[in-house]
Coordinates of all heavy atoms in Angstrom, one line a residue:
M1 N 4.6 -7.5 15.5 CA 4.8 -6.3 14.7 C 3.6 -6.2 13.7 O 3.2 -7.2 13.1 CB 6.1 -6.4 14.0 CG 7.1 -5.4 14.6 SD 8.3 -4.8 13.5 CE 9.6 -6.2 13.6
S2 N 3.2 -5.0 13.6 CA 2.2 -4.9 12.5 C 2.6 -3.7 11.5 O 3.3 -2.8 11.9 CB 0.8 -4.5 13.1 OG 0.8 -3.1 13.4
F3 N 2.2 -4.0 10.3 CA 2.5 -3.0 9.3 C 1.3 -2.4 8.7 O 1.0 -2.3 7.5 CB 3.3 -3.6 8.1 CG 4.7 -4.0 8.7 CD1 5.0 -5.3 9.1 CD2 5.7 -3.1 8.7 CE1 6.2 -5.7 9.5 CE2 7.0 -3.5 9.1 CZ 7.3 -4.7 9.6
T4 N 0.4 -1.9 9.6 CA -0.9 -1.3 9.1 C -0.6 0.0 8.4 O 0.2 0.9 8.9 CB -1.7 -0.9 10.4 OG1 -1.7 -2.0 11.3 CG2 -3.1 -0.5 10.0
M5 N -1.0 0.0 7.2 CA -0.9 1.1 6.3 C -2.0 2.1 6.7 O -3.1 1.7 6.6 CB -0.9 0.8 4.9 CG 0.2 -0.1 4.5 SD 1.9 0.7 4.6 CE 2.0 1.4 2.9
L6 N -1.6 3.4 7.1 CA -2.7 4.3 7.4 C -3.1 5.1 6.1 O -2.2 5.6 5.4 CB -2.1 5.3 8.4 CG -1.8 4.7 9.7 CD1 -1.1 5.7 10.6 CD2 -3.0 4.2 10.5
D7 N -4.4 5.2 5.9 CA -4.9 6.0 4.8 C -5.8 7.0 5.4 O -7.0 6.8 5.5 CB -5.7 5.0 3.8 CG -6.1 5.9 2.6 OD1 -5.5 6.9 2.4 OD2 -7.1 5.5 1.9
E8 N -5.1 8.1 5.9 CA -5.9 9.1 6.6 C -5.7 10.4 5.9 O -4.7 10.6 5.1 CB -5.4 9.3 8.0 CG -5.3 8.0 8.8 CD -4.6 8.4 10.0 OE1 -3.5 9.0 10.1 OE2 -5.1 7.8 11.2
S9 N -6.7 11.3 6.1 CA -6.4 12.7 5.5 C -5.4 13.3 6.4 O -5.3 13.0 7.6 CB -7.8 13.4 5.5 OG -8.2 13.5 6.8
F10 N -4.6 14.2 5.9 CA -3.7 14.9 6.7 C -3.4 16.3 6.1 O -3.5 16.5 4.9 CB -2.3 14.1 6.9 CG -1.5 14.1 5.7 CD1 -0.4 15.0 5.6 CD2 -1.6 13.1 4.8 CE1 0.5 14.9 4.5 CE2 -0.8 13.0 3.6 CZ 0.3 13.9 3.5
V11 N -2.9 17.2 6.9 CA -2.5 18.5 6.4 C -1.0 18.5 6.4 O -0.3 18.2 7.2 CB -3.1 19.6 7.4 CG1 -2.5 21.0 6.9 CG2 -4.5 19.6 7.4
C12 N -0.5 18.9 5.1 CA 0.9 18.9 5.0 C 1.7 19.8 5.8 O 1.2 21.1 6.0 CB 1.2 19.2 3.5 SG 2.9 19.4 3.1
A13 N 2.7 19.4 6.5 CA 3.5 20.2 7.4 C 4.3 21.2 6.6 O 4.8 22.2 7.2 CB 4.3 19.3 8.3
V14 N 4.5 20.9 5.3 CA 5.4 21.9 4.6 C 4.7 22.9 3.9 O 5.0 24.1 4.0 CB 6.2 21.0 3.5 CG1 7.2 21.9 2.7 CG2 7.0 19.9 4.3
C15 N 3.6 22.6 3.2 CA 2.9 23.6 2.4 C 1.5 23.9 2.8 O 0.8 24.8 2.3 CB 2.9 23.2 0.8 SG 1.7 21.9 0.5
G16 N 1.0 23.1 3.7 CA -0.4 23.3 4.3 C -1.5 22.7 3.5 O -2.7 22.9 3.8
E17 N -1.2 22.0 2.3 CA -2.3 21.4 1.5 C -3.0 20.4 2.4 O -2.4 19.6 3.1 CB -1.5 20.7 0.3 CG -2.5 19.8 -0.5 CD -3.3 20.6 -1.4 OE1 -3.4 21.8 -1.4 OE2 -4.1 19.9 -2.2
E18 N -4.3 20.4 2.2 CA -5.2 19.4 2.9 C -5.3 18.2 1.9 O -5.9 18.2 0.9 CB -6.6 19.9 3.2 CG -6.7 20.6 4.5 CD -8.1 20.9 4.8 OE1 -8.9 20.0 4.9 OE2 -8.3 22.1 5.1
N19 N -4.7 17.1 2.4 CA -4.7 15.8 1.5 C -5.8 14.9 2.0 O -5.7 14.4 3.1 CB -3.3 15.1 1.7 CG -2.2 15.8 0.9 OD1 -1.9 15.5 -0.2 ND2 -1.6 16.8 1.6
P20 N -6.8 14.6 1.2 CA -7.9 13.7 1.5 C -7.3 12.3 1.5 O -6.3 12.0 0.9 CB -8.9 13.9 0.5 CG -8.2 14.4 -0.7 CD -7.0 15.1 -0.2
P21 N -8.0 11.3 2.1 CA -7.6 9.9 2.0 C -7.4 9.5 0.5 O -8.2 9.9 -0.3 CB -8.6 9.0 2.7 CG -9.3 10.1 3.6 CD -9.2 11.4 3.0
L22 N -6.5 8.6 0.3 CA -6.2 8.3 -1.1 C -7.2 7.2 -1.6 O -7.5 7.2 -2.8 CB -4.8 7.7 -1.2 CG -4.1 7.6 -2.5 CD1 -4.2 8.8 -3.4 CD2 -2.6 7.2 -2.3
G23 N -7.6 6.3 -0.8 CA -8.6 5.3 -1.1 C -8.1 4.0 -1.5 O -8.6 3.0 -1.0
Y24 N -7.0 3.9 -2.2 CA -6.5 2.6 -2.6 C -5.2 2.1 -1.9 O -4.8 1.1 -2.0 CB -6.3 2.6 -4.1 CG -5.1 3.5 -4.6 CD1 -3.8 3.1 -4.7 CD2 -5.4 4.8 -5.1 CE1 -2.9 3.8 -5.2 CE2 -4.4 5.6 -5.5 CZ -3.2 5.1 -5.6 OH -2.2 5.9 -6.0
S25 N -4.6 3.1 -1.2 CA -3.3 2.9 -0.6 C -3.1 3.9 0.4 O -3.7 5.0 0.4 CB -2.2 2.9 -1.6 OG -0.9 2.8 -1.0
A26 N -2.1 3.8 1.4 CA -1.8 4.8 2.3 C -1.1 6.0 1.6 O -0.2 5.7 0.8 CB -0.9 4.2 3.4
R27 N -1.5 7.1 1.9 CA -0.8 8.3 1.3 C 0.4 8.6 2.2 O 0.3 8.8 3.4 CB -1.8 9.5 1.3 CG -1.3 10.6 0.4 CD -2.1 11.9 0.7 NE -3.4 11.8 0.1 CZ -3.6 12.1 -1.2 NH1 -2.6 12.2 -2.0 NH2 -4.8 12.0 -1.6
D28 N 1.5 8.6 1.5 CA 2.7 8.8 2.4 C 3.5 10.1 2.0 O 4.5 10.3 2.5 CB 3.7 7.6 2.2 CG 4.0 7.3 0.7 OD1 3.8 8.1 -0.1 OD2 4.3 6.1 0.5
H29 N 2.9 10.9 1.1 CA 3.5 12.2 0.9 C 2.4 13.2 0.4 O 1.3 12.8 0.0 CB 4.6 12.1 -0.2 CG 4.1 11.4 -1.5 ND1 4.1 10.1 -1.7 CD2 3.6 12.0 -2.6 CE1 3.6 9.8 -2.8 NE2 3.3 10.9 -3.5
C30 N 2.7 14.4 0.5 CA 1.7 15.5 0.1 C 1.6 15.5 -1.5 O 2.5 15.4 -2.2 CB 2.3 16.8 0.5 SG 1.4 18.3 -0.1
R31 N 0.3 15.6 -1.9 CA 0.0 15.5 -3.4 C 0.5 16.8 -4.1 O 0.6 16.8 -5.2 CB -1.5 15.3 -3.6 CG -2.4 16.4 -3.1 CD -3.8 16.2 -3.4 NE -4.7 17.2 -2.8 CZ -5.9 17.3 -3.0 NH1 -6.6 16.3 -3.7 NH2 -6.6 18.3 -2.4
K32 N 0.6 17.9 -3.3 CA 0.9 19.2 -3.9 C 2.4 19.4 -4.0 O 3.0 19.7 -5.1 CB 0.2 20.3 -3.2 CG 0.2 21.6 -3.9 CD -0.6 22.7 -3.1 CE -0.3 24.1 -3.6 NZ -0.8 25.0 -2.7
C33 N 3.2 19.4 -2.8 CA 4.6 19.7 -2.9 C 5.4 18.4 -2.9 O 6.6 18.5 -3.1 CB 4.9 20.6 -1.7 SG 4.9 19.8 -0.1
L34 N 4.7 17.3 -2.8 CA 5.3 15.9 -2.8 C 6.2 15.7 -1.7 O 6.9 14.6 -1.6 CB 6.0 15.7 -4.1 CG 5.2 16.0 -5.5 CD1 6.0 15.6 -6.6 CD2 3.9 15.2 -5.5
C35 N 6.3 16.5 -0.7 CA 7.2 16.3 0.5 C 6.6 15.3 1.4 O 5.3 15.1 1.4 CB 7.4 17.6 1.3 SG 8.5 18.7 0.4
S36 N 7.4 14.7 2.2 CA 7.0 13.7 3.1 C 7.7 13.9 4.4 O 8.6 14.9 4.5 CB 7.3 12.2 2.5 OG 6.8 11.3 3.3
L37 N 7.3 13.2 5.5 CA 8.0 13.4 6.7 C 8.7 12.1 7.1 O 8.2 11.0 6.9 CB 7.0 13.7 7.8 CG 6.5 15.2 7.8 CD1 5.5 15.4 8.9 CD2 7.6 16.3 7.8
H38 N 9.9 12.2 7.6 CA 10.7 11.1 8.0 C 10.1 10.5 9.3 O 10.7 10.8 10.4 CB 12.2 11.4 8.1 CG 13.1 10.2 8.1 ND1 14.5 10.4 8.3 CD2 12.8 8.9 7.9 CE1 15.0 9.1 8.2 NE2 14.1 8.3 8.0
L39 N 9.1 9.6 9.2 CA 8.5 9.1 10.4 C 8.6 7.6 10.5 O 8.4 7.0 11.6 CB 7.0 9.4 10.4 CG 6.4 10.9 10.3 CD1 5.0 10.9 10.1 CD2 6.9 11.6 11.5
D40 N 8.9 6.9 9.4 CA 8.9 5.5 9.3 C 10.3 4.9 9.2 O 11.2 5.5 8.4 CB 8.0 5.0 8.1 CG 6.7 5.5 8.3 OD1 6.3 5.9 9.4 OD2 6.0 5.5 7.2
I41 N 10.6 3.8 9.8 CA 11.7 3.0 9.4 C 11.3 2.1 8.3 O 11.8 2.0 7.2 CB 12.3 2.2 10.7 CG1 12.8 3.3 11.7 CG2 13.5 1.3 10.2 CD1 13.1 2.7 13.0
D42 N 10.3 1.3 8.5 CA 9.6 0.5 7.5 C 8.3 1.2 7.3 O 7.7 1.8 8.2 CB 9.3 -0.9 7.9 CG 10.7 -1.7 8.0 OD1 11.3 -1.7 6.9 OD2 11.0 -2.3 9.0
P43 N 7.8 1.1 6.0 CA 6.6 1.9 5.6 C 5.5 1.7 6.7 O 5.0 0.6 7.0 CB 6.2 1.3 4.3 CG 7.5 0.8 3.7 CD 8.3 0.4 4.9
G44 N 4.9 2.9 7.2 CA 3.8 2.9 8.1 C 4.1 2.5 9.5 O 3.2 2.6 10.3
D45 N 5.3 2.2 9.9 CA 5.6 1.8 11.3 C 5.7 3.0 12.3 O 5.5 2.8 13.5 CB 6.8 0.9 11.4 CG 8.1 1.6 11.1 OD1 8.2 2.8 10.9 OD2 9.1 0.8 10.9
R46 N 5.9 4.2 11.8 CA 6.0 5.4 12.6 C 7.0 5.3 13.7 O 6.8 5.8 14.8 CB 4.6 5.8 13.2 CG 3.6 6.1 12.1 CD 3.9 7.5 11.4 NE 2.8 7.8 10.6 CZ 2.7 7.6 9.2 NH1 3.7 6.8 8.7 NH2 1.7 7.9 8.5
L47 N 8.1 4.5 13.5 CA 9.0 4.3 14.6 C 10.3 5.1 14.5 O 11.1 5.1 15.3 CB 9.5 2.8 14.5 CG 8.5 1.8 14.9 CD1 8.9 0.4 14.8 CD2 8.0 2.0 16.4
C48 N 10.4 5.9 13.5 CA 11.6 6.8 13.3 C 11.4 8.1 14.0 O 10.4 8.7 13.9 CB 11.9 7.1 11.8 SG 13.3 8.0 11.6
D49 N 12.4 8.4 14.9 CA 12.2 9.7 15.7 C 12.9 10.9 15.0 O 13.0 11.9 15.6 CB 12.6 9.4 17.1 CG 14.1 9.0 17.2 OD1 14.7 9.1 16.2 OD2 14.4 8.6 18.3
C50 N 13.3 10.8 13.8 CA 13.9 11.8 13.0 C 13.0 13.0 12.8 O 13.2 14.1 13.2 CB 14.5 11.3 11.7 SG 15.1 12.7 10.7
K51 N 11.8 12.7 12.2 CA 10.8 13.7 11.9 C 11.2 14.9 11.0 O 10.6 15.9 11.0 CB 10.1 14.2 13.2 CG 9.4 13.0 13.8 CD 8.7 13.5 15.2 CE 7.9 12.3 15.8 NZ 8.8 11.2 16.3
G52 N 12.3 14.7 10.3 CA 12.7 15.7 9.3 C 11.8 15.7 8.1 O 10.9 14.8 8.0
V53 N 12.0 16.7 7.3 CA 11.2 16.8 6.0 C 11.9 16.0 4.9 O 13.1 16.3 4.7 CB 11.0 18.2 5.6 CG1 10.3 18.3 4.2 CG2 10.2 19.0 6.6
L54 N 11.2 15.1 4.4 CA 11.7 14.3 3.2 C 11.4 15.1 2.0 O 10.3 15.3 1.6 CB 11.2 13.0 3.1 CG 11.5 12.0 4.2 CD1 10.6 10.7 4.1 CD2 13.0 11.5 4.1
R55 N 12.4 15.5 1.3 CA 12.2 16.4 0.0 C 12.5 15.5 -1.2 O 13.4 14.8 -1.2 CB 13.1 17.5 0.0 CG 12.8 18.6 1.1 CD 13.4 19.9 1.0 NE 13.1 20.7 2.1 CZ 12.1 21.5 2.3 NH1 11.2 21.5 1.3 NH2 11.9 22.1 3.3
P56 N 11.5 15.6 -2.2 CA 11.7 14.8 -3.4 C 12.9 15.3 -4.1 O 13.1 16.5 -4.4 CB 10.5 15.1 -4.2 CG 9.9 16.4 -3.6 CD 10.4 16.5 -2.2
V57 N 13.8 14.5 -4.6 CA 15.0 14.9 -5.3 C 15.1 14.2 -6.7 O 15.9 14.7 -7.5 CB 16.3 14.5 -4.5 CG1 16.4 15.4 -3.3 CG2 16.4 13.0 -4.1
A58 N 14.4 13.2 -6.9 CA 14.5 12.5 -8.2 C 13.2 11.6 -8.4 O 12.6 11.3 -7.5 CB 15.7 11.6 -8.4
T59 N 12.9 11.4 -9.7 CA 11.9 10.4 -10.0 C 12.4 9.4 -10.9 O 13.4 9.6 -11.6 CB 10.6 11.1 -10.7 OG1 11.1 11.7 -12.0 CG2 10.1 12.2 -9.9
E60 N 11.7 8.2 -11.0 CA 12.2 7.1 -11.7 C 10.9 6.3 -12.2 O 10.0 6.1 -11.5 CB 13.0 6.2 -10.8 CG 13.8 5.1 -11.4 CD 14.4 4.3 -10.3 OE1 15.1 4.8 -9.5 OE2 14.2 3.1 -10.3
Q61 N 10.8 5.9 -13.5 CA 9.8 5.2 -13.9 C 10.0 3.7 -13.6 O 11.1 3.1 -14.0 CB 9.6 5.4 -15.5 CG 9.2 6.7 -15.9 CD 7.8 7.1 -15.3 OE1 6.9 6.2 -15.2 NE2 7.7 8.4 -14.8
G62 N 9.0 3.1 -13.0 CA 9.1 1.6 -12.7 C 7.9 0.9 -13.0 O 7.0 1.5 -13.7
K63 N 7.9 -0.4 -12.8 CA 6.8 -1.3 -13.3 C 5.5 -0.8 -12.5 O 4.4 -1.0 -13.1 CB 7.1 -2.7 -13.0 CG 7.9 -3.3 -14.1 CD 8.2 -4.7 -13.8 CE 9.3 -5.4 -14.7 NZ 10.1 -6.4 -14.1
K64 N 5.6 -0.4 -11.3 CA 4.4 -0.1 -10.5 C 4.1 1.4 -10.6 O 3.2 1.9 -9.9 CB 4.7 -0.4 -9.0 CG 4.6 -1.8 -8.7 CD 4.8 -2.0 -7.2 CE 4.8 -3.5 -6.8 NZ 5.3 -3.5 -5.4
G65 N 4.7 2.1 -11.5 CA 4.5 3.6 -11.7 C 5.7 4.4 -11.4 O 6.8 3.8 -11.3
T66 N 5.5 5.6 -11.2 CA 6.5 6.5 -10.9 C 6.9 6.4 -9.5 O 6.2 6.5 -8.6 CB 6.2 8.0 -11.2 OG1 5.6 8.0 -12.6 CG2 7.3 9.0 -11.1
K67 N 8.3 6.3 -9.3 CA 8.8 6.3 -7.9 C 9.5 7.6 -7.6 O 10.2 8.2 -8.5 CB 9.9 5.2 -7.8 CG 9.3 3.8 -7.6 CD 10.4 2.8 -7.3 CE 10.2 1.6 -8.2 NZ 11.5 0.8 -8.3
I68 N 9.4 8.1 -6.5 CA 10.0 9.3 -6.1 C 11.1 9.0 -5.1 O 10.9 8.3 -4.1 CB 9.0 10.3 -5.4 CG1 7.7 10.5 -6.4 CG2 9.6 11.7 -5.2 CD1 6.6 11.3 -5.7
T69 N 12.2 9.6 -5.3 CA 13.3 9.4 -4.3 C 13.4 10.7 -3.5 O 13.3 11.8 -4.0 CB 14.7 9.2 -5.1 OG1 14.6 8.2 -6.0 CG2 15.8 9.0 -4.1
Y70 N 13.5 10.4 -2.2 CA 13.5 11.5 -1.2 C 14.9 11.6 -0.5 O 15.5 10.6 -0.3 CB 12.4 11.3 -0.1 CG 11.0 11.5 -0.6 CD1 10.4 10.4 -1.2 CD2 10.5 12.7 -0.6 CE1 9.1 10.6 -1.7 CE2 9.2 12.9 -1.1 CZ 8.5 11.8 -1.6 OH 7.2 12.0 -2.1
R71 N 15.2 12.8 0.0 CA 16.3 12.9 0.8 C 15.8 13.7 2.1 O 15.1 14.7 1.9 CB 17.5 13.6 0.2 CG 18.8 13.5 1.1 CD 20.0 13.6 0.3 NE 20.1 12.6 -0.7 CZ 20.5 12.9 -2.0 NH1 20.6 14.1 -2.4 NH2 20.6 12.0 -2.9
C72 N 16.1 13.1 3.2 CA 15.8 13.8 4.5 C 16.5 15.0 4.7 O 17.8 15.0 4.7 CB 15.8 12.8 5.6 SG 15.3 13.5 7.2
D73 N 15.8 16.2 5.0 CA 16.5 17.5 5.3 C 17.4 17.3 6.5 O 18.4 18.1 6.6 CB 15.4 18.4 5.5 CG 15.2 19.5 4.4 OD1 15.9 19.3 3.4 OD2 14.5 20.4 4.6
K74 N 17.0 16.6 7.5 CA 17.6 16.6 8.8 C 18.7 15.5 8.9 O 19.9 15.9 9.3 CB 16.5 16.2 9.8 CG 16.8 16.8 11.2 CD 15.4 16.7 12.0 CE 15.8 16.6 13.5 NZ 14.6 16.3 14.2
C75 N 18.5 14.3 8.5 CA 19.5 13.2 8.7 C 20.1 12.8 7.3 O 21.2 12.1 7.4 CB 18.9 12.0 9.4 SG 17.8 11.1 8.4
G76 N 19.6 13.3 6.2 CA 20.2 13.0 4.9 C 19.9 11.5 4.4 O 20.5 11.2 3.3
K77 N 19.1 10.8 5.0 CA 18.8 9.5 4.6 C 17.9 9.6 3.4 O 17.0 10.4 3.2 CB 18.0 8.7 5.7 CG 18.0 7.2 5.5 CD 17.4 6.7 6.8 CE 17.4 5.2 6.9 NZ 17.5 4.4 5.8
S78 N 18.1 8.6 2.4 CA 17.3 8.5 1.2 C 16.1 7.5 1.4 O 16.3 6.5 2.0 CB 18.1 8.1 0.0 OG 18.9 9.1 -0.3
K79 N 15.0 7.9 0.8 CA 13.9 7.0 0.9 C 13.1 7.0 -0.5 O 13.3 7.9 -1.2 CB 12.9 7.4 1.9 CG 13.2 7.0 3.4 CD 12.1 7.3 4.2 CE 10.9 6.3 4.1 NZ 10.8 5.4 5.1
R80 N 12.3 6.0 -0.7 CA 11.6 6.0 -2.0 C 10.1 5.7 -1.8 O 9.8 4.9 -0.9 CB 12.1 4.8 -2.9 CG 13.2 5.3 -3.8 CD 13.5 4.2 -4.8 NE 14.7 4.6 -5.5 CZ 15.4 3.8 -6.3 NH1 15.0 2.5 -6.3 NH2 16.4 4.2 -6.9
N81 N 9.3 6.5 -2.4 CA 7.9 6.2 -2.3 C 7.3 6.1 -3.8 O 8.0 6.6 -4.7 CB 7.2 7.5 -1.7 CG 7.4 7.4 -0.2 OD1 7.6 6.4 0.4 ND2 7.3 8.6 0.4
I82 N 6.2 5.5 -3.9 CA 5.6 5.5 -5.2 C 4.6 6.6 -5.3 O 3.9 7.0 -4.4 CB 4.8 4.1 -5.4 CG1 5.8 3.0 -5.4 CG2 3.9 4.1 -6.7 CD1 5.3 1.6 -5.5
A83 N 4.7 7.3 -6.4 CA 3.9 8.5 -6.7 C 2.4 8.0 -6.7 O 2.0 7.0 -7.2 CB 4.2 9.1 -8.1
A84 N 1.6 8.9 -6.1 CA 0.1 8.6 -6.0 C -0.6 9.2 -7.3 O 0.0 10.0 -8.0 CB -0.5 9.3 -4.9
T85 N -1.8 8.6 -7.6 CA -2.4 9.0 -8.8 C -2.9 10.5 -8.9 O -3.0 11.0 -10.0 CB -3.8 8.2 -9.0 OG1 -4.5 8.2 -7.8 CG2 -3.5 6.7 -9.4
D86 N -3.0 11.1 -7.7 CA -3.3 12.6 -7.8 C -2.2 13.5 -7.5 O -2.4 14.6 -7.1 CB -4.6 12.8 -6.9 CG -4.3 12.6 -5.4 OD1 -3.3 12.0 -5.1 OD2 -5.2 12.9 -4.6
D87 N -1.0 12.9 -7.5 CA 0.1 13.9 -7.3 C 0.2 14.9 -8.3 O -0.2 14.8 -9.5 CB 1.5 13.0 -7.3 CG 1.7 12.3 -6.1 OD1 1.0 12.5 -5.1 OD2 2.8 11.5 -6.0
D88 N 0.7 16.1 -7.9 CA 0.8 17.3 -8.9 C 1.8 16.8 -10.0 O 3.0 16.7 -9.8 CB 1.3 18.5 -8.1 CG 1.3 19.8 -9.0 OD1 1.6 19.7 -10.2 OD2 0.9 20.7 -8.4
F89 N 1.2 16.7 -11.2 CA 2.1 16.2 -12.3 C 3.1 17.2 -12.7 O 4.3 16.8 -13.0 CB 1.1 16.0 -13.5 CG 1.8 15.2 -14.6 CD1 2.3 13.9 -14.4 CD2 2.0 15.9 -15.9 CE1 2.9 13.2 -15.4 CE2 2.7 15.1 -16.9 CZ 3.1 13.9 -16.7
D90 N 2.9 18.5 -12.7 CA 3.9 19.6 -13.0 C 5.1 19.5 -12.0 O 6.2 19.7 -12.4 CB 3.2 20.9 -12.9 CG 2.2 21.2 -14.1 OD1 2.4 20.5 -15.1 OD2 1.4 22.0 -14.0
K91 N 4.7 19.2 -10.8 CA 5.7 19.1 -9.7 C 6.7 17.9 -10.0 O 7.9 18.0 -9.9 CB 5.1 19.0 -8.4 CG 6.0 19.1 -7.2 CD 6.4 20.5 -6.9 CE 7.5 20.5 -5.8 NZ 8.1 21.8 -5.7
L92 N 6.0 16.8 -10.4 CA 6.8 15.6 -10.7 C 7.7 15.9 -11.9 O 8.9 15.5 -11.9 CB 5.8 14.5 -11.1 CG 5.2 13.7 -10.0 CD1 4.2 12.7 -10.5 CD2 6.3 12.9 -9.2
L93 N 7.2 16.6 -12.9 CA 8.0 17.0 -14.0 C 9.2 17.8 -13.7 O 10.3 17.7 -14.1 CB 7.2 17.7 -15.1 CG 6.3 16.8 -16.0 CD1 5.6 17.6 -17.0 CD2 7.1 15.7 -16.7
D94 N 9.0 18.8 -12.8 CA 9.9 19.7 -12.3 C 11.1 18.9 -11.7 O 12.3 19.2 -11.9 CB 9.5 20.6 -11.2 CG 8.7 21.9 -11.8 OD1 8.8 22.0 -13.0 OD2 8.1 22.6 -11.0
I95 N 10.8 17.9 -10.9 CA 11.8 17.1 -10.1 C 12.6 16.3 -11.2 O 13.8 16.2 -11.1 CB 11.1 16.2 -9.1 CG1 10.4 17.0 -8.1 CG2 12.2 15.3 -8.4 CD1 9.4 16.2 -7.3
T96 N 11.9 15.8 -12.1 CA 12.5 15.0 -13.2 C 13.5 15.8 -13.9 O 14.6 15.4 -14.3 CB 11.4 14.4 -14.2 OG1 10.5 13.8 -13.4 CG2 12.1 13.4 -15.1
R97 N 13.0 17.0 -14.3 CA 13.9 17.9 -15.1 C 15.1 18.4 -14.3 O 16.2 18.4 -14.8 CB 13.0 19.2 -15.4 CG 13.4 19.7 -16.8 CD 12.4 20.8 -17.2 NE 11.0 20.4 -17.4 CZ 10.0 20.9 -17.0 NH1 10.0 22.0 -16.2 NH2 8.8 20.5 -17.3
A98 N 14.9 18.8 -13.0 CA 16.0 19.2 -12.2 C 17.0 18.1 -12.1 O 18.2 18.3 -12.1 CB 15.5 19.6 -10.8
N99 N 16.6 16.9 -11.9 CA 17.4 15.7 -11.8 C 18.2 15.5 -13.0 O 19.4 15.2 -13.0 CB 16.5 14.5 -11.4 CG 17.5 13.4 -11.0 OD1 18.4 13.4 -10.2 ND2 17.2 12.2 -11.7
A100 N 17.6 15.7 -14.2 CA 18.3 15.5 -15.5 C 19.4 16.5 -15.7 O 20.5 16.2 -16.2 CB 17.3 15.6 -16.7
E101 N 19.1 17.8 -15.2 CA 20.1 18.8 -15.3 C 21.3 18.5 -14.4 O 22.4 18.8 -14.7 CB 19.5 20.2 -14.9 CG 18.8 20.8 -16.0 CD 17.8 21.9 -15.6 OE1 18.0 22.4 -14.6 OE2 16.9 22.2 -16.4
N102 N 21.0 17.9 -13.2 CA 22.1 17.5 -12.3 C 23.1 16.4 -12.9 O 24.2 16.4 -12.6 CB 21.6 17.1 -11.0 CG 21.0 18.2 -10.2 OD1 21.4 19.3 -10.4 ND2 20.2 17.8 -9.2
L103 N 22.5 15.7 -13.8 CA 23.3 14.6 -14.3 C 24.1 15.0 -15.5 O 25.1 14.4 -15.8 CB 22.4 13.4 -14.9 CG 21.6 12.7 -13.7 CD1 20.6 11.7 -14.3 CD2 22.6 12.0 -12.8
T104 N 23.8 16.1 -16.1 CA 24.5 16.5 -17.3 C 25.7 17.5 -17.0 O 25.6 18.1 -15.9 CB 23.6 17.2 -18.4 OG1 22.9 18.1 -17.7 CG2 22.8 16.1 -19.1
Ligands
ZN13 ZN1 2.8 19.8 0.8
ZN14 ZN1 15.6 11.9 8.7

C-alpha cells in the first residue's frame, strides 16, 4: 500500500476555482469554497467510491493550524482536513461564525 500524497493543480467541481499546486503539501480541498470531494478512505488513497461533495461545517484551532471539519453531502460521513495557507480567510470565518451560532 502506498500513501502518496498528490500535489496537483485541480479545478474545483463545486465552484470551478482553478487551484494551483500547493507546494508544501497535497491540496485536499478548494481554496475558494473550501469544499472537498469524498474520494479517500485514508488521505490520498482515492479508494472511496462515494465521490460526494464534502462541505465544510466547522473549524477548529489546533497545534498544526486550523482544522476544517467536513460532512459528506451524499453519505453523511465526517472528515477533517487541515486548512491550507491560501484558503479563503473570509470563508473560514464564515464557517466558524455559522458553527458558533449553531452551538448557542
Ligand atoms: Zn471550490
Ligand atoms: Zn461520502
Side-chain angles (χ1 to χ4, degrees):
M1 254 206 273
S2 82
F3 291 97
T4 316
M5 298 291 272
L6 297 172
D7 185 24
E8 301 171 321
S9 61
F10 74 96
V11 175
C12 176
V14 178
C15 74
E17 170 78 356
E18 270 187 61
N19 287 266
L22 195 49
Y24 68 90
S25 173
R27 191 191 287 283
D28 50 23
H29 57 273
C30 173
R31 63 178 177 175
K32 190 176 169 196
C33 70
L34 309 181
C35 287
S36 184
L37 290 177
H38 196 188
L39 301 174
D40 302 340
I41 295 170
D42 287 309
D45 65 13
R46 299 292 186 265
L47 290 176
C48 183
D49 56 13
C50 170
K51 297 179 178 60
V53 176
L54 291 169
R55 295 194 184 274
V57 291
T59 61
E60 191 186 305
Q61 291 301 321
K63 279 181 191 150
K64 285 184 186 168
T66 305
K67 280 188 227 157
I68 307 171
T69 305
Y70 289 90
R71 190 157 302 131
C72 179
D73 252 6
K74 209 165 150 190
C75 72
K77 199 171 180 346
S78 290
K79 279 190 72 107
R80 269 186 189 165
N81 285 332
I82 295 182
T85 47
D86 65 349
D87 278 355
D88 190 320
F89 190 66
D90 289 335
K91 187 80 190 168
L92 277 173
L93 282 181
D94 278 354
I95 298 161
T96 309
R97 214 176 289 135
N99 188 48
E101 279 164 16
N102 286 342
L103 292 174
T104 51

